[in-house]
Amino acid sequence: MRRCFDLARRGAGTVSPNPLVGSVVVNEGHVIGEGYHKQYGGAHAERGAIHAVVEADRPFLPKSRLYVSLEPCCHHGKTPPCTDLILASGIREVYISMHDPNPMVGGKGMQLLRNHGVAVYDNILAAEGKELIRFFLTSMTKQRPHIILKIVQSRDGYIGKPDKQVWLSNDYERVMVHKLRSEVDAIMVGTNTAVIDNPELTTRFYPGRSPVRVLVDKTGRIPRTHHIFDGSAPTWIFTGQAKDSGFSNNIETVQCTFDDTVLDRILAELYTRRIQSLLVEGGARMITSFLEKQLWDEALVVRTPKILGSGVKAPLIEGSLKWRYEMAGDEVLAIVP
Ligand code: AOF
Ligand code: ZN
């Protein structure tokens, strides 16, 4: 099953809004086929794994086990049901980590296999299986993107100075964040951060595609010469002003009403546009709005050894949370959950 998880992760950044899924076919302790969901709209993991079994090994399928990190689908989506293929292959034993939260499947895939006499074992390493599909799971259950808040702070608890950019983190952390950018569907910063830092918000220090840049610019304060208008990644600008059609294809303004529920409105629009994961990279005010509304699922807090003495206080993440700590050179990464 761990091999399934590893295979599944190779699809990060290319399968959304589908989940990451990996699968292996095992005969008497030997892996005879492997597959993973590679591309949205493309073959599912089980299909890849079963098709990877070479001709000479096919007679062994009825005596083989299929491992898959997600319950096999039993519906017609962009691809035919995996349960049909499993039954046709002759495989009689299926090991599953996580059930599919998609209401079209939701246990029915396992039931169908059992009804046909296949032995189905589920909940194998379920916690890891759940973590693997967390973007998909949040989107399915909460009807909004999975939200990751990123906070980089000095040792004395500041994220920067009020009006100029301060660089706090090290190269290791930068690569890690760019890896995360390559895996999420969208990235967001508040207006002040966009104006002051002039960030690019693209994936550069890790291979992979850039996420959609989501900006909030109520009154059109972000200068047109800033990086976010360079067209190098799809960019959506939520604004209170009239729709602006004077941008290149990649840049779109989305008109919206700015009141107490503006954040919910933006998230609803992102959900409609099938954004399943959103990385919020700052600044303090933007992060605080997400925290206050309890609209977040994960936090990545980078504690750097630098001392600023004064500045913008880092938003406080409170509650009895389970933190996971990692060292990144001289920095401490605190990750929740
Ligand atoms: C599986 N194996 O590898 C994946 C599954 O439109 P489709 O045909 O690609 O179906 C998408 C749905 O299938 C998706 O919402 C989820 O419920 C399930 N994904 N199922 O058996 C896979 N990626
Ligand atoms: Zn399937």
Side-chain angles (χ1 to χ4, degrees):
M1 192 56 83
R2 292 211 165 88
R3 178 65 185 155
C4 294
F5 297 156
D6 283 345
L7 289 164
R9 281 186 201 101
R10 296 187 191 175
T14 52
V15 301
S16 179
N18 273 352
L20 294 172
V21 188
S23 177
V24 295
V25 183
V26 177
N27 180 257
E28 294 187 359
H30 297 281
V31 172
I32 57 168
E34 292 191 330
Y36 65 99
H37 190 39
K38 294 181 179 160
Q39 195 77 44
Y40 176 67
H44 285 183
E46 307 89 310
R47 194 164 298 274
I50 292 171
H51 284 164
V53 176
V54 296
E55 200 59 46
D57 285 339
R58 293 203 168 257
F60 301 120
L61 281 172
K63 289 207 157 12
S64 301
R65 298 170 162 191
L66 178 84
Y67 288 81
V68 58
S69 60
L70 185 76
E71 171 185 8
C73 69
C74 53
H75 70 298
H76 286 269
K78 292 194 182 303
T79 66
C82 289
T83 45
D84 286 359
L85 178 75
I86 294 168
L87 294 174
S89 76
I91 290 171
R92 309 293 294 159
E93 265 182 57
V94 176
Y95 293 76
I96 297 166
S97 179
M98 208 17 216
H99 64 90
D100 189 343
N102 181 351
M104 305 251 271
V105 186
K108 296 196 270 289
M110 289 192 273
Q111 197 52 54
L112 190 143
L113 291 173
R114 286 188 176 124
N115 289 348
H116 284 82
V118 175
V120 178
Y121 305 90
D122 61 342
N123 283 317
I124 317 278
L125 299 176
E128 284 108 306
K130 190 173 175 183
E131 197 204 323
L132 186 70
I133 61 156
R134 65 198 195 281
F135 298 172
F136 183 71
L137 192 61
T138 303
S139 164
M140 280 281 163
T141 54
K142 298 186 178 169
Q143 278 85 48
R144 63 158 172 81
H146 185 90
I147 299 165
I148 305 173
L149 305 179
K150 180 196 140 196
I151 303 170
V152 182
Q153 60 187 57
S154 65
R155 207 169 89 197
D156 47 351
Y158 298 101
I159 60 158
K161 299 287 182 183
D163 44 18
K164 69 172 202 302
Q165 190 188 17
V166 180
W167 198 263
L168 287 172
S169 58
N170 65 19
D171 290 350
Y172 180 98
E173 186 266 340
R174 180 140 79 167
V175 171
M176 215 188 94
V177 168
H178 281 239
K179 175 171 184 283
L180 190 56
R181 286 181 179 182
S182 77
E183 294 169 354
V184 295
D185 292 337
I187 182 169
M188 183 175 188
V189 294
T191 325
N192 283 333
T193 306
V195 171
I196 297 165
D197 288 3
N198 185 14
E200 292 184 55
L201 304 179
T202 52
T203 306
R204 301 184 306 286
F205 300 100
Y206 199 84
R209 59 113 186 85
S210 293
V212 174
R213 301 187 279 207
V214 178
L215 279 306
V216 184
D217 194 8
K218 185 178 167 188
T219 57
R221 277 172 52 211
I222 309 172
R224 292 285 175 107
T225 47
H226 266 30
H227 291 306
I228 59 129
F229 291 112
D230 64 11
S232 66
T235 306
W236 301 339
I237 300 155
F238 286 86
T239 177
Q241 302 206 304
K243 198 169 168 61
D244 192 331
S245 45
F247 288 114
S248 76
N249 291 337
N250 252 357
I251 305 170
E252 191 187 335
T253 53
V254 186
Q255 216 184 349
C256 89
T257 311
F258 280 75
D259 56 16
D260 286 354
T261 59
V262 65
L263 208 49
D264 305 271
R265 232 186 274 269
I266 292 171
L267 292 174
E269 179 63 23
L270 294 180
Y271 174 75
T272 308
R273 293 176 178 224
R274 311 204 73 181
I275 296 293
Q276 277 192 351
S277 47
L278 176 68
L279 172 64
V280 185
E281 287 212 30
R285 207 192 292 166
M286 182 60 97
I287 301 264
T288 304
S289 346
F290 278 93
L291 286 170
E292 277 173 2
K293 295 201 141 226
Q294 303 202 357
L295 284 168
W296 63 286
D297 304 285
E298 280 178 56
L300 171 64
V301 180
V302 183
R303 295 178 186 165
T304 75
K306 294 203 178 90
I307 306 270
L308 284 183
S310 65
V312 181
K313 272 272 172 212
L316 256 192
I317 297 187
E318 289 171 279
S320 56
L321 300 169
K322 230 174 57 203
W323 291 91
R324 180 161 65 82
Y325 295 96
E326 276 177 29
M327 285 307 290
D330 54 355
E331 294 175 356
V332 179
L333 306 178
I335 304 161
V336 59

